Amino acid sequence: MHSGNAARIVARQRRPMRLPMCPLNTSTARLAPRKLAQAPPVCSIHTICVIGGGHAGCEAATGAARTGARTLLLTQKKDTIGELSCNPSVGGVGKGTLVREVDALDGVIGRVTDMAGIHFRMLNSSKGSAVWGPRAQVDRELYRKHMQDIILNYPNLDVRSASVFDFEFDHAILSTPSSTSAWGAVKGVRLDSGEIIHCSQVVICTGTFLSGEIHIGMKRFPAGRMHEAPAIGLSDALRAAGFQLGRLQTGTPARLDRNSIDFSKLGRQEGDQVPHPFSFLHRKVEHADEQVVCFKTHTTPETHNLVGNSIPLSIHIQETKKGPRYCPSLEAKVTRFGHKANHTVWLEPEGYNSDLVYPNGLSCSMPEELQEPMMRTVPGLESVRMVRPAYGVEYDYVDPRELKPSLEAKRIKGLFLAGQINGTTGYEEAAAQGCIAGINAGLAARGRRPLIITRADGYIGVMIDDLITKGAEEPYRMFTSRSEYRMTVRCDNADLRLTEKGYEAGVVSHERWEAFLRDRSEIQNGIEVLQSVVLSPTVWEKFGFNVTKDGISRRCETSPGFYHSSDNDFQRLRATEEAFPKSGAVPGIDWLEPHIKARIVIDATYAPHIPRQLADLQVFHADESLLLDPDMDYSQVSGLSEEVRERLQRVRPVTLGAAKRMEGMTPASAVNLLKHARRTWGASQRAVQSSHEGDVIRPSAVA
């Protein structure tokens, strides 16, 4: 810890105590050092405390509240809830699917984006829908307003401005035989005022604020975001509990005055004519007819020379901490890709009533006085005025291998982590983790089994599995390429994959459940209607479909070339219906809504490939069903290398599948692990585990 940080901690500890905001529990009174004094105020009306009001915190707080648990969101400033710390956009390739999955579980980020979006595009739309990436530019003010309207009026959720300094733990759990690997259990949080808030579950969503430090050139000062203080005491509390903490880096570009940019030199990017909403509850977005334009430019060799010469003047670059590989700083681009003559820069407006422009691609931590001259080497920015400088941020994170699939810490019962504290980067990754952590904190508080999303269920499961089995040596970002089940895990079918799971867990509203049932029924009915259409090749050809003239009658979805364009194909089918009114060749095709037709088209496109994917999924589920003893003594497993043994000891995978996916795990090691599990973990323990986790396969039952 830096000496300045230590001084601030001492100063906080000496501050006079503020009046409590809830009734004092006098039964917990203790003697303060040196003199008799009133005990720290204690609040006990909340079951769950969520720390942080960013994307992870908002989803965690609302997710916990949807379980019916009384939830308290603690944030330093209420007016920064839902703040977009970096880019004014949501979604992207892989990321957009995460947003859709959060929405399928009744999260809030998708609905807010639809209300605040000012430019929508479906990335990779020329490719298969398995790699589509819905993305939206959003108005910062509108996003913050709509998010705060939801958070401040959410059932079972209270919000309070406060800084959490430490935790209250109960170590009695150490004496229970079933918790040999636990260090303790949460019983509350302590604010920097000294006040204690009792609760049984805590979700930490501190983002870059966990011992955050901003870097501009050679300057460094404590902050989680510009002009906002970091969370200091929590890092020490986590270290004291035995967590392994590391440091990661990220950054944000300068903000530019739009009136100083020459847009006439730049390429234009319009939004989609018909935007795709993020939320399954919406049929259209709020500002579909008022979309703004983004502009494209690029760096130049002169830009790269200035950046390269400034590297010795940037402490952020000289540090050895890891920054984001897939959203790198300009210094990292120049260093890694010295052979490239230019790098793309997107100029993105920050809102309808804002003159600020976000230069996506110019993130750096150069000295402030050098940033504007550097940007003036970019076409269109020759006379640009910088309103706010770019800067780098360095912050603490916890090794995510300390977590269970529920995002609960293995060593502390009732403590959940979500967002950048787990080594991820990006709003969408944070929101997805917050959703799962909050829901599971609420379910734990109510004594119910956790909601576990696997790799086969969605990108949320892919991300969590990657984190808890492989860790995060650098900021983790979601891509479609990380999933091995892309054909079945798509942005269009997130509700079909997850909404029923959420409903069974009790975290999906009646409104969403009814909308889901209606859509699912219409999709199935539409498919059945289309499957009922069987015509000869001659007739199909008459209506524009390219069918082999082999005399074999076919259903429409098995005709080559069908479903290339949903509008054209369904128009042809309507013509078919008109041509065969008596036989009812395509009965009722007109009642299908556009979004239903689009989903039927996508399903039919991937139908020939699904059987092979399902075979892979069966193998996956077999491995995932075989649970491992969380307290296994890996020193007793024969045939393991020391490297594999050490990794298993650290990660403690809960299934054989998770063990196989660990880095360095060999097939021989997996076999030896399975043999040991079959021999040592009794059926009685399996029965206990089954009562909480559902049906599983005993190791002894596997040949």
Side-chain angles (χ1 to χ4, degrees), residues 24-30 198:
L24 179 64
N25 183 348
T26 55
S27 65
T28 59
R30 293 179 293 182
H198 280 170

Side-chain angles (χ1 to χ4, degrees), residues 21-57:
M21 298 184 66
C22 53
L24 179 64
N25 183 348
T26 55
S27 65
T28 59
R30 293 179 293 182
L31 291 179
R34 299 186 183 179
K35 64 178 182 179
L36 288 172
Q38 185 182 21
V42 176
C43 176
S44 305
I45 63 173
H46 294 96
T47 306
I48 300 169
C49 284
V50 177
I51 304 172
H55 299 279

Side-chain angles (χ1 to χ4, degrees), residues 29 38 44 133 195 199 230 280 286 385 523 554 563 581 601 618-619 660 673:
Q38 185 182 21
S44 305
E195 180 183 347
C199 58
F280 290 97
E286 192 162 318
R385 289 190 298 274
I523 291 171
R554 292 177 173 83
Y563 292 136
V601 167
Q618 286 182 337
V619 175
K660 286 182 175 181
L673 181 61

Side-chain angles (χ1 to χ4, degrees), residues 32 47 72 101 141 146 246 297 305 307 351 394 396 493 507 546-547:
T47 306
L72 175 64
E101 290 179 352
E141 292 182 6
H146 289 305
T297 184
N305 287 335
V307 172
E394 185 178 298
D396 282 349
N493 67 0
V507 295
N546 182 22
V547 180

Side-chain angles (χ1 to χ4, degrees), residues 8 12 76-77 209 212 222-232:
R8 269 183 291 278
R12 277 203 179 100
Q76 292 188 10
K77 298 179 181 178
F209 284 75
R225 190 162 50 210
M226 187 64 81
H227 308 306
E228 296 187 44
I232 300 296

Side-chain angles (χ1 to χ4, degrees), residues 443 448-449 451 498-508 513:
L443 294 175
R448 298 172 58 188
R449 56 184 292 188
L451 173 65
L498 297 178
T499 298
E500 189 167 6
K501 289 180 177 292
Y503 183 75
E504 291 173 352
V507 295
V508 167
W513 181 243

Side-chain angles (χ1 to χ4, degrees), residues 319-497:
E319 296 280 357
T320 59
K321 313 302 184 299
K322 292 281 189 177
R325 174 186 298 270
Y326 302 106
C327 186
S329 66
L330 193 52
E331 294 97 332
K333 292 178 185 177
V334 170
T335 302
R336 295 179 193 168
F337 311 107
H339 61 284
K340 295 196 67 173
N342 60 71
H343 296 280
T344 299
V345 177
W346 290 100
L347 300 180
E348 302 169 348
E350 297 220 338
Y352 289 126
N353 300 316
S354 174
D355 287 330
L356 296 182
V357 171
Y358 179 93
N360 193 337
L362 291 181
S363 176
C364 69
S365 57
M366 297 170 62
E368 185 173 348
E369 64 274 12
L370 300 181
Q371 292 187 25
E372 193 171 86
M374 177 272 292
M375 285 182 283
R376 290 184 173 181
T377 65
V378 175
L381 305 184
E382 292 87 352
S383 301
V384 75
R385 289 190 298 274
M386 183 177 71
V387 179
R388 287 202 295 259
Y391 60 86
V393 186
E394 185 178 298
Y395 54 94
D396 282 349
Y397 81 105
V398 172
D399 186 341
R401 290 173 292 188
E402 299 263 11
L403 304 177
K404 302 175 184 178
S406 63
L407 294 182
E408 183 181 22
K410 296 173 183 175
R411 66 177 59 245
I412 298 180
K413 180 176 168 45
L415 182 66
F416 295 78
L417 310 183
Q420 285 175 288
I421 191 173
N422 291 337
T424 61
T425 181
Y427 305 151
E428 304 81 5
E429 290 85 351
Q433 293 172 73
C435 180
I436 298 302
I439 287 173
N440 284 326
L443 294 175
R446 297 174 68 83
R448 298 172 58 188
R449 56 184 292 188
L451 173 65
I452 303 299
I453 307 298
T454 71
R455 301 183 73 90
D457 296 325
Y459 279 79
I460 293 177
V462 172
M463 174 179 61
I464 292 175
D465 184 70
D466 284 347
L467 291 172
I468 67 175
T469 59
K470 301 176 183 177
E473 297 297 324
E474 61 188 24
Y476 180 97
R477 182 178 181 177
M478 177 50 65
F479 292 105
T480 54
S481 58
R482 293 191 186 274
S483 173
E484 56 271 64
Y485 307 115
R486 291 190 294 278
M487 286 186 289
T488 53
V489 179
R490 308 184 305 267
C491 65
D492 67 279
N493 67 0
D495 59 338
L496 296 178
R497 294 184 279 111

